[in-house]
Amino acid sequence: MPHWKILRGSVQGPAKARNQDWYETDAPADDTLVLAVADGHGSAAYTRSHLGARFAVDVFIRCGRAFAERARAPEDLRRLRHAAGHWLPREIVRDWQEEVRRHLRDHPPADTSDDSGAFRPYGTTLLGAVLVPGLFAAWQLGDGDLMVVEADGSVGAPLAPAEPELGDETESLCAPRAWELMRVHWAPVADPDRMPRCVTLSTDGLSKSFAAQEGFVQFVRELGERLDTVGADAIREALPGWLAHAGGYSGDDTTVVAAWRPPAGSTDGKKDESTDEDADRNADGNGDPRERLRREPTPPPPPPHAAPPKSAHPQDAPHPHETEN
């Protein structure tokens, strides 16, 4: 099975005081990936949601790694699917709540008279995926987009809600019995050649930069095509400029994590040894496939050397347990 190539990045919304998004990737084995993004709600009632987003991602990476180990070992698929639909959502919510409680013990709020809504200030979405030989599974709570370019080139959104969410309201990890709100994608893949070509997880700042969903789907399709044509390194360098351009339209923090499976025989098919620094370099934004998909009939291209804002990479921040807010 070919090695996956990873692209990832985040930019702060142009009018935002801080980046509320968080993301991480983990590759515990050459053919195994765990991916996660989260978007803290950020409004006045969610004063610590940037921390909640990081806790959510940290928890999913741990739980996703444990699930990947189970999926790689011989196990009845029915039991594994039950674990995906029941055990993992409960484990994620339980561990996230424990992270929040730990932070509250170390950094109690000024008003401790009512702890009935203790989780609310940390409210966040969560989107995560696990890819192992023979299985692609994903989980989502709240907004954001899981997009999949299949082996045949078709593009799907397997976790899209049946009814679009209205306005800025979204489901949250801070909700009562949040595990019951989590949507699950379960896709066993018997033939390794039928694994997805490209999987993207993004916060809603990316899809909201398009006037219609069709434009976003076309962007994902073209992203897969460009990866097949020019390889991961060129797209990785352009990604910060693309995200900054998208954030300029949506006004929101914009984060994406993508996993790409190089075509057979591709020179890009060797193991991905890129570092975090490589993934987050300032880059040339030319050749943006989004250019003809913008809100305006003839939108301007991104600046020639579009550098992300100073807070573009939320992983540069200290660990939340080391800071109060």
Side-chain angles (χ1 to χ4, degrees), residues 248-269:
Y249 279 87
S250 69
D252 201 358
D253 305 327
T254 304
T255 299
V256 66
V257 169
W260 170 62
R261 182 169 62 90
S266 168
T267 57
D268 233 328

Side-chain angles (χ1 to χ4, degrees), residues 226-298:
R226 292 291 298 276
L227 282 164
D228 289 346
T229 301
V230 303
D233 288 344
I235 303 302
R236 187 180 289 122
E237 290 183 357
L239 186 61
W242 296 0
L243 295 180
H245 201 194
Y249 279 87
S250 69
D252 201 358
D253 305 327
T254 304
T255 299
V256 66
V257 169
W260 170 62
R261 182 169 62 90
S266 168
T267 57
D268 233 328
K270 59 182 182 299
K271 184 176 181 180
D272 192 349
E273 297 178 347
S274 62
T275 65
D276 287 348
E277 288 76 14
D278 293 330
D280 297 306
R281 286 176 297 178
N282 294 354
D284 187 342
N286 288 329
D288 185 346
R290 301 166 53 87
E291 289 179 10
R292 64 183 178 81
L293 305 173
R294 298 293 186 182
R295 299 177 185 275
E296 302 169 5
T298 54

Side-chain angles (χ1 to χ4, degrees), residues 5 7 18 25 67 92 207 214 229 242 268 274 280 295:
K5 309 286 278 189
L7 301 91
R18 58 158 51 100
T25 65
F67 180 83
I92 289 169
S207 59
E214 291 78 8
T229 301
W242 296 0
D268 233 328
S274 62
D280 297 306
R295 299 177 185 275

Side-chain angles (χ1 to χ4, degrees), residues 125-140:
T125 68
L126 176 63
L127 178 58
V130 172
L131 296 106
V132 299
L135 180 64
F136 166 38
W139 296 260
Q140 182 168 2

